[in-house]
Amino acid sequence: CKSRPSSPGSQPAQGEAMSSNEDMDPSQVLEKCIAGEVPEANALPQLQHIYRSKPRDVISALCDKATSVVQQSDAGQAAVRAGAFLVNVAGFLDKNRDGESEKPRGNNKRRSQPATAPALPEVSRPLLEHILLLTGGKNRGPKDKATRTQGCTLVAALAAQVDEHVGAQDKLLEFSLDKVPSIREKAVRGLASLSSRDAETALLARAMDPCTAVRASAVRGLRIAPATVGTIVGRLDDVEACVRGQLFLRLSEQPSAIKELGPAAVTRLLAGLVDRATSVRTAAGRAVDAWVEHLGGVLKLLEHCDLIGDEELGEGAAAALAARFPEEGLRCATQWFGQSKQDGKKLPDSPGPLLFARMALAAMAEFSREEVLDVASLLARSWAALEACEKAVAGRWQEYLLRQMLHVVALADIADEGLRREVEKLAEAILFRGPLSTSSVLELTASAGICRMAQSAIDLGIVILRKASGLVRFQAQSPKTQMLEGKCSTRVVLLVSEICQPFESDPDDDGEGDGQSFTTRLSTKIQELNTEIEAHQKTKDKIDADKKKAAAAEEFLQAQKLKDQARKNDKSLASLQGERDRLLQQRDTVCLRVLSIVSSLLRWSNSDLRKDPALMGALHQILLPMIALPALSKEVEVSVVYSICIFCVRDGEVARSHWSLLLTLLRGLQEEPADPSQCKPGTEGFTNLRGLRARAAVAARALADCARIHGHLLDRVEVLSAASALSAVPFSSRQVVIEPLCGWLLTLGHIFFEEHLKEPVLEVQWALGWMLVEAFKQRRHEEKPQPRAVPEPPVSRKRGLSWVSRPAEAKAAAEALPEVESVHNDEEAIAMASRLTQFFALLPKIPGKHGAPMLSLALESVAESGLWRRGVLLPSNEDGQTRWLRNFSWPELFAFVHERLPIEMRFRLWRCSLQICVSSPALAPLAEIPFALASAASEAPPGAPELLAEALELGADPEALNPLKLRLPALPQKAKKLPPAIGIPSDLATPRLLLPPADALAVEAQRRQELAALGVDIEVWAPADVEVPKMVPIHHRMRMGTRKAKGGEAAKSAEKPAETADTPSAETAAPAEPEMKRRRGKAPPADAPRLPLQECRQDGKAQPTNRAARKGA
């Protein structure tokens, strides 16, 4: 009969169950659960019960199963599931190791206290140590990939359950450098659970890993700290969305770490809300929500952002926050732009509230905006902001506040006539009294600086005035709109005359200089003061020289007199300099305001200049007289040139009349001083150099824009002259013309190609070559010294930057390539290299048949002008270590061009590359030209084997070209050459595609002379010759060793004829004596004592001991 279930108080049934569990083998429980016969939920309590009575047996069973799992790691998912089950068992037992104790029975109060049981041993730690032994221990490991993967998975999982295990950390650090990406990814997950400095350093290194999964896991595992902030924020630019998403998920888990991030980093991170990937936007939203909750509001978050340093990025971050938090944006917009019961002229203490309110207002619908916005209160705050900017203690953020208010005024709907007049009055006040643009002269060389100028307070004043006049930015042209445009231009020109009116009547003039403008009078006075200051400076130098002579001759009375004279001269000199500075400030302030108004009007006006006499009159009556003023400052001079260039872009006739002026300004770059010491920051030479480059940059943009816009009005010679002037620039100023030249080539490249077919246009082809090199250039920058206690994380290689930096004390061989870098920072250099790469990738795809030939001409220019020598690897000794440096990578450049050209045009690339191998057989391998050809051998054009055979015949290095020869199809045996026909020269009978070395060098020298005649300082761009180093790079030696091991015997057997019958076979031949390893210094003498290994080998010759010999015996 069946027994009924026992009650809780039934002692015999409980004893039977207990005895059955005690007799159960833990190995059987594990095996049944792994086989799927017992669920894991049932197996864990059974193992726990056995563990309380037999802990050693459970640990031994787990270790045995771990051994089986690691040995059978090639079982696939079954082994993975088994390993995960073992880790779960160890964690479950450790977690409940002290969770339960023997429960008291009955109601006896004396038994209410639990009995203290002895502590049970850990499970995870001995299991981890056993698995470490299975994986080989420190610095050792199995060769099988599956075994290493399984071992790394188990170690990483158990390391999170064991505190501070040094062996596990060392093994995970070893696994993090494995060649298999999946093993590195599992090791990174294990390192993320550790808190040591070594683990953090390894995670920083893996954050730059080539594998996407490894980078994502490393970023997720990094803790936000001052040492890791740079790497974490740098992954924001990762190309993979999953890496960026893991970055934001990590930030959301640690919201209090926002204090560790700088204002610029927080602003960049907020841009993740508008990322192109949906997953990244979702993760960024979680991070932003966590920050807002931690800080207590959106405005508190904006206080941690740098809104003024990068205004474009700050506006994007504020717009993203306004779109995510519309309710808070509505409250902020109502507070600052709506009707307020508080003081209507009160301004915030930081720029964040106004920017957030402005972006929230811009995101609203038009009807909602009208309900929130109160124009009267907005105008009152705008006037208050303008008055705050006029104070002497006003900072940059007050001007920023004013511009935010003016943006909202330009956005508002003005329907009332009274409000329209108030808005018009505010616009005029902005033009009269508003702050000028804070952009410096140097920023005019970049597009970002011009964009910031277009958003200045003066520009916003012009926009508001045009809106009050009934004009908008983009409007269809009609007689009515042209009439309104003319009225607006006339009004602005009259405002300019009113600005200059108070200075036209000078009470100190005494009637002199009648008919002259105040700028002319002030400029004349400044020029006279400059002459007097120069004379006083010469007097000061003469007095100092005489005083030194008198002191040397011990004529102390004369020295005292000279000292008194010097004191009087210095006092007079200081007075003259003070007067000059006062007049300069007075003149430049008015001139810069006038020029800002005129240039802003030109940027925003849609008027036809030929039908607008007021606007056209500004060119002849304001700009041209101003540029002819004496003693102009660099700021005023560049501003005048910029305004004239805008006129040239707007009107073709003006451009044609000022074409020679623009060419002269651009060619002024050739006047740069050759001595860099004359242009140190803080000197007059540095100021002159900045002004020179700023003028040239403005003229370069104007030339390119005018050639593209007014090409139908200009002659082909004039259009081509713009490209010639843009191409022939000094090496140090090449960044000035890159963008204008790329725009010209994309639009008007067909003109260059057509003229180049008639007669070579060497300067434009030269520009294509150096821009192609610039796209693959490796710039070097000085690294900041780091303390030795903190290891530096490796930096990912980016195009435009180098892995290494060259010290000032470089060796002579490394100094063969002059290191003349521009003043631009590394970020701008990387961005420029990226844009150039996009340009050359787009070049073969443009409409027409000239794009691909232009790309081919670019590489031919690099090869034929000597620029390829910039890609030669040269040794540089740093801290006792030899590093091989180069300016650009020829293999990357060649592969980039080769894969984008059609197969019929690749022959030209191979010909110019093999010509380098012929003319410079020693330097071509150091530039890795044979390696680049061998890498592209699978896509070689027809005729490549013939080219290679001719190059070898003319003296190219056969050892360097041997890999290429093995990969190309073999040529048929040459037939016997017949003598040329009578009357035909031998050169014509056997035409050659390559030149002999002497002829090739002569052609290159002629090309360099022609470029020098065109204004290109070719010696600075590329050296005529480079000294061949006496050593070979280590990776080249490794390739040579691999080549000899793999292809050496095959090549020799293919070249040598068949062996005769008398030649002994390999079986009967005696074994060759191994070649002794070369040692530094002199070779050992012949009678030197043999080493034990050599004695064994010698004995082995006399008495064979190997298996084959014993078998034969």
Side-chain angles (χ1 to χ4, degrees):
C1 61
K2 294 183 179 179
S3 60
R4 293 182 299 176
S6 60
S7 61
S10 178
Q11 297 296 333
Q14 188 175 3
E16 292 175 1
M18 189 69 68
S19 62
S20 63
N21 287 335
E22 289 177 356
D23 296 339
M24 187 177 297
D25 187 5
S27 299
Q28 296 179 2
V29 177
L30 292 173
E31 188 172 352
K32 289 182 180 180
C33 186
I34 292 175
E37 299 178 4
V38 178
E40 183 176 347
N42 296 341
L44 290 178
Q46 294 178 9
L47 290 171
Q48 181 185 4
H49 193 75
I50 300 173
Y51 171 67
R52 292 186 179 279
S53 58
K54 302 177 181 179
R56 301 297 178 185
D57 294 348
V58 174
I59 295 175
S60 177
L62 287 174
C63 292
D64 293 342
K65 289 300 178 183
T67 303
S68 301
V69 168
V70 174
Q71 289 177 350
Q72 300 176 8
S73 56
D74 54 352
Q77 291 297 325
V80 173
R81 286 193 297 269
F85 171 68
L86 296 179
V87 173
N88 292 340
V89 169
F92 177 79
L93 296 179
D94 282 340
K95 182 179 180 181
N96 300 309
R97 182 160 55 102
D98 300 327
E100 296 182 1
S101 60
E102 187 178 355
K103 295 182 179 180
R105 298 171 184 174
N107 296 328
N108 192 350
K109 296 182 179 180
R110 296 179 181 178
R111 296 183 181 179
S112 60
Q113 298 296 331
T116 58
L120 297 174
E122 288 186 75
V123 180
S124 299
R125 184 174 293 272
L127 180 60
L128 175 60
E129 293 175 353
H130 180 73
I131 293 174
L132 288 176
L133 291 177
L134 295 177
T135 55
K138 188 177 181 180
N139 298 329
R140 296 181 65 185
K143 294 183 179 181
D144 184 57
K145 181 178 70 174
T147 306
R148 293 201 313 274
T149 303
Q150 186 66 39
C152 180
T153 303
L154 295 174
V155 172
L158 291 172
Q161 301 174 184
V162 179
D163 297 334
E164 302 296 333
H165 198 286
V166 180
Q169 174 180 312
D170 294 341
K171 197 61 183 177
L172 288 175
L173 291 175
E174 179 184 343
F175 278 133
S176 67
L177 301 176
D178 198 276
K179 61 183 179 180
V180 180
S182 60
I183 298 178
R184 297 200 302 269
E185 193 267 339
K186 292 176 175 60
V188 164
R189 292 189 178 186
L191 290 172
S193 61
L194 306 179
S195 58
S196 63
R197 178 59 181 167
D198 294 338
E200 182 179 293
T201 304
L203 290 176
L204 288 173
R206 293 306 98 206
M208 308 293 182
D209 197 90
C211 179
T212 302
V214 179
R215 294 199 308 272
S217 299
V219 169
R220 183 62 182 272
L222 277 172
R223 293 177 179 84
I224 303 175
T228 61
V229 165
T231 302
I232 291 176
V233 177
R235 289 299 89 202
L236 189 62
D237 297 329
D238 200 285
V239 296
E240 298 295 337
C242 62
V243 180
R244 302 195 301 271
Q246 293 298 323
L247 163 64
F248 286 108
L249 290 177
R250 182 58 185 165
L251 292 172
S252 65
E253 296 172 356
Q254 198 176 349
S256 60
I258 190 175
K259 299 179 181 178
E260 304 291 344
L261 304 173
V266 176
T267 309
R268 288 189 60 195
L269 290 170
L270 288 178
L273 292 173
V274 292
D275 194 273
R276 58 183 178 272
T278 307
S279 59
V280 180
R281 294 197 298 269
T282 304
R286 292 179 55 181
V288 171
D289 292 343
W291 287 339
V292 170
E293 182 180 357
H294 174 73
L295 296 175
V298 181
L299 296 181
K300 295 291 184 179
L301 178 58
L302 283 174
E303 291 179 0
H304 288 75
C305 299
D306 183 14
L307 302 177
I308 301 180
D310 191 342
E311 295 185 12
E312 184 179 358
L313 189 61
E315 290 179 0
L321 289 175
R324 188 168 186 83
F325 303 97
E327 296 181 358
E328 193 164 349
L330 178 61
R331 290 196 300 269
C332 189
T334 305
Q335 178 184 358
W336 294 107
F337 300 143
Q339 293 182 357
S340 177
K341 298 180 181 179
Q342 301 177 359
D343 186 8
K345 294 185 178 181
K346 182 181 178 181
L347 296 175
D349 298 332
S350 61
L354 280 185
L355 178 61
F356 182 61
R358 170 199 158 196
M359 292 302 169
L361 199 67
M364 296 179 186
E366 187 174 358
F367 63 90
S368 301
R369 190 186 308 144
E370 293 178 358
E371 294 178 359
V372 174
L373 188 61
D374 183 67
V375 181
S377 302
L378 177 62
L379 293 176
R381 293 187 190 274
S382 301
W383 282 104
L386 179 59
E387 293 173 359
C389 291
E390 293 179 344
K391 295 181 180 179
V393 295
R396 184 181 177 185
W397 71 274
Q398 280 89 357
E399 187 260 346
Y400 185 81
L401 289 181
L402 175 62
R403 286 193 284 115
Q404 302 309 313
M405 302 296 297
L406 294 179
H407 274 293
V408 180
V409 172
L411 190 65
D413 186 12
I414 307 169
D416 185 66
E417 179 64 22
L419 288 177
R420 190 193 67 81
R421 293 179 181 177
E422 292 295 329
V423 170
E424 199 173 49
K425 187 184 298 184
L426 175 65
E428 293 179 358
I430 294 296
L431 297 180
F432 271 103
R433 301 151 47 192
L436 299 176
S437 175
T438 57
S439 299
S440 63
V441 174
L442 184 60
E443 292 176 346
L444 290 175
T445 61
S447 58
I450 297 177
C451 293
R452 284 193 292 272
M453 289 176 57
Q455 295 182 0
S456 64
I458 300 298
D459 281 88
L460 292 172
I462 292 291
V463 171
I464 295 173
L465 184 61
R466 286 173 54 82
K467 185 171 184 177
S469 302
L471 296 170
V472 294
R473 180 68 179 92
F474 300 104
Q475 195 170 4
Q477 290 290 337
S478 64
K480 182 179 179 180
T481 57
Q482 180 61 40
M483 180 186 65
L484 294 176
E485 291 281 0
K487 289 183 178 180
C488 184
S489 301
T490 304
R491 184 163 189 175
V492 173
V493 172
L494 292 176
L495 288 175
V496 170
S497 62
E498 292 179 10
I499 293 174
C500 302
Q501 188 64 34
F503 303 95
E504 293 296 340
S505 56
D506 190 356
D508 300 332
D509 195 16
D510 297 333
E512 296 181 3
D514 293 336
Q516 294 182 349
S517 63
F518 83 99
T519 53
T520 305
R521 295 196 305 269
L522 290 181
S523 300
T524 304
K525 291 181 181 180
I526 292 171
Q527 187 177 19
E528 294 174 357
L529 289 174
N530 287 336
T531 304
E532 295 181 9
I533 289 173
E534 185 178 356
H536 280 73
Q537 189 65 40
K538 292 181 179 180
T539 303
K540 179 182 178 180
D541 296 340
K542 184 176 181 302
I543 291 175
D544 291 341
D546 294 342
K547 187 167 58 175
K548 290 181 180 180
K549 291 180 181 179
E554 298 183 355
E555 298 179 359
F556 300 109
L557 294 178
Q558 182 66 18
Q560 184 63 31
K561 292 180 181 179
L562 292 173
K563 186 176 181 180
D564 295 338
Q565 294 179 7
R567 189 181 298 109
K568 294 179 181 179
N569 185 75
D570 292 343
K571 184 177 180 180
S572 177
L573 181 61
S575 176
L576 291 173
Q577 290 176 346
E579 180 66 16
R580 182 193 61 181
D581 295 341
R582 184 184 68 83
L583 294 178
L584 274 174
Q585 183 180 6
Q586 182 181 0
R587 184 198 64 181
D588 291 355
T589 302
V590 178
C591 291
L592 290 175
R593 183 172 295 277
V594 170
L595 292 171
S596 298
I597 294 173
V598 173
S599 59
S600 300
L601 180 62
L602 286 169
R603 279 195 295 266
W604 294 99
S605 176
N606 293 329
S607 177
D608 186 358
L609 296 184
R610 296 295 168 180
K611 299 179 181 179
D612 196 339
L615 192 56
M616 181 60 76
L619 173 64
H620 300 285
Q621 299 177 8
I622 297 177
L623 300 182
L624 294 181
M626 191 176 293
I627 200 173
L629 291 176
L632 274 182
S633 61
K634 299 302 176 183
E635 291 80 3
V636 175
E637 185 177 356
V638 174
S639 299
V640 175
V641 171
Y642 177 68
S643 300
I644 293 176
C645 289
I646 297 179
F647 268 106
C648 295
V649 174
R650 290 288 304 272
D651 188 80
E653 294 296 334
V654 176
R656 192 166 189 176
S657 60
H658 292 83
W659 198 256
S660 59
L661 172 64
L662 299 178
L663 292 176
T664 303
L665 292 175
L666 180 56
R667 290 167 181 164
L669 289 173
Q670 304 292 342
E671 301 176 2
E672 290 187 5
D675 187 7
S677 61
Q678 301 178 3
C679 303
K680 294 182 178 180
T683 61
E684 185 179 358
F686 180 73
T687 304
N688 294 334
L689 180 61
R690 292 178 64 192
L692 190 67
R693 289 182 177 175
R695 287 186 313 177
V698 173
R701 291 183 179 277
L703 282 171
D705 293 342
C706 293
R708 289 183 290 176
I709 297 174
H710 310 303
H712 59 285
L713 298 176
L714 300 173
D715 297 335
R716 174 166 288 208
V717 177
E718 293 175 336
V719 173
L720 199 58
S721 65
S724 300
L726 290 170
S727 303
V729 293
F731 177 78
S732 57
S733 301
R734 63 194 182 280
Q735 300 286 347
V736 172
V737 300
I738 286 179
E739 286 191 5
L741 190 55
C742 290
W744 190 96
L745 290 170
L746 286 176
T747 309
L748 304 172
H750 62 281
I751 297 179
F752 155 70
F753 187 65
E754 292 171 2
E755 295 295 328
H756 187 79
L757 292 178
K758 301 176 184 177
E759 184 179 356
V761 186
L762 297 181
E763 60 270 28
V764 181
Q765 185 185 2
W766 157 257
L768 285 170
W770 67 255
M771 284 197 302
L772 184 60
V773 169
E774 194 72 19
F776 293 89
K777 187 146 181 143
Q778 297 176 356
R779 290 175 177 81
R780 304 175 181 91
H781 58 282
E782 297 181 359
E783 299 177 354
K784 297 182 180 180
Q786 299 289 342
R788 294 185 180 271
V790 181
E792 298 179 2
V795 182
S796 63
R797 186 180 185 182
K798 297 181 180 180
R799 182 173 295 168
L801 286 181
S802 172
W803 283 358
V804 294
S805 59
R806 177 177 297 180
E809 301 85 4
K811 295 296 183 181
E815 288 179 348
L817 302 182
E819 192 64 29
V820 186
E821 295 295 341
S822 61
V823 296
H824 296 269
N825 54 18
D826 294 338
E827 295 182 359
E828 196 168 335
I830 295 172
M832 184 62 68
S834 176
R835 288 195 290 268
L836 281 173
T837 306
Q838 294 175 3
F839 164 74
F840 283 107
L842 181 63
L843 199 58
K845 303 176 184 178
I846 58 178
K849 299 181 179 180
H850 60 282
M854 287 171 61
L855 183 59
S856 176
L857 287 174
L859 190 138
E860 293 176 30
S861 175
V862 177
E864 295 172 359
S865 61
L867 269 176
W868 65 271
R869 294 187 181 90
R870 288 270 177 182
V872 174
L873 286 165
L874 294 176
S876 174
N877 292 329
E878 299 180 8
D879 300 331
Q881 297 180 355
T882 300
R883 296 184 177 182
W884 293 84
L885 307 178
R886 60 185 175 190
N887 288 103
F888 75 97
S889 173
W890 176 274
E892 292 183 5
L893 185 148
F894 184 85
F896 177 85
V897 178
H898 193 270
E899 67 184 6
R900 284 166 175 78
L901 289 183
I903 191 170
E904 61 270 9
M905 297 193 64
R906 293 174 182 173
F907 185 81
R908 300 174 64 91
L909 307 184
W910 284 68
R911 185 177 62 183
C912 64
S913 300
L914 288 173
Q915 183 64 66
I916 296 175
C917 297
V918 171
S919 59
S920 300
L923 289 177
L926 291 175
E928 297 186 336
I929 295 177
F931 173 73
L933 293 173
S935 301
S938 59
E939 300 178 354
E946 290 79 1
L947 271 177
L948 177 60
E950 187 173 342
L952 293 173
E953 183 181 350
L954 290 175
D957 188 359
E959 184 179 358
L961 293 174
N962 188 41
L964 176 61
K965 183 178 180 180
L966 295 176
R967 297 184 184 184
L968 292 178
L971 290 176
Q973 294 183 357
K974 294 183 179 179
K976 185 178 180 180
K977 293 184 179 180
L978 298 177
I982 300 175
I984 298 179
S986 59
D987 296 339
L988 297 179
T990 57
R992 290 185 176 272
L993 296 173
L994 300 176
L995 297 176
D999 296 345
L1001 293 176
V1003 170
E1004 180 183 336
Q1006 183 180 0
R1007 168 69 69 91
R1008 295 171 67 90
Q1009 291 178 1
E1010 293 175 352
L1011 289 174
L1014 293 172
V1016 178
D1017 193 357
I1018 190 64
E1019 294 298 331
V1020 177
W1021 281 93
D1025 192 12
V1026 176
E1027 182 180 356
V1028 181
K1030 298 180 181 180
M1031 60 182 73
V1032 180
I1034 184 171
H1035 60 283
H1036 285 197
R1037 293 201 298 269
M1038 294 172 63
R1039 288 176 189 167
M1040 292 166 61
T1042 306
R1043 183 162 61 244
K1044 289 180 180 179
K1046 292 184 179 181
E1049 297 298 331
K1052 290 179 180 179
S1053 61
E1055 292 178 0
K1056 290 184 178 181
E1059 299 289 343
T1060 60
D1062 298 336
T1063 305
S1065 62
E1067 296 180 357
T1068 60
E1073 179 72 19
E1075 184 181 356
M1076 295 181 59
K1077 184 177 180 181
R1078 287 187 179 180
R1079 299 178 179 270
R1080 294 184 179 179
K1082 59 182 182 179
D1087 56 348
R1090 288 181 174 272
L1091 297 176
L1093 180 60
Q1094 295 174 344
E1095 293 288 345
C1096 295
R1097 289 174 177 171
Q1098 186 66 25
D1099 296 340
K1101 290 183 180 179
Q1103 184 176 359
T1105 58
N1106 54 13
R1107 184 180 303 175
R1110 289 197 302 268
K1111 184 177 180 181

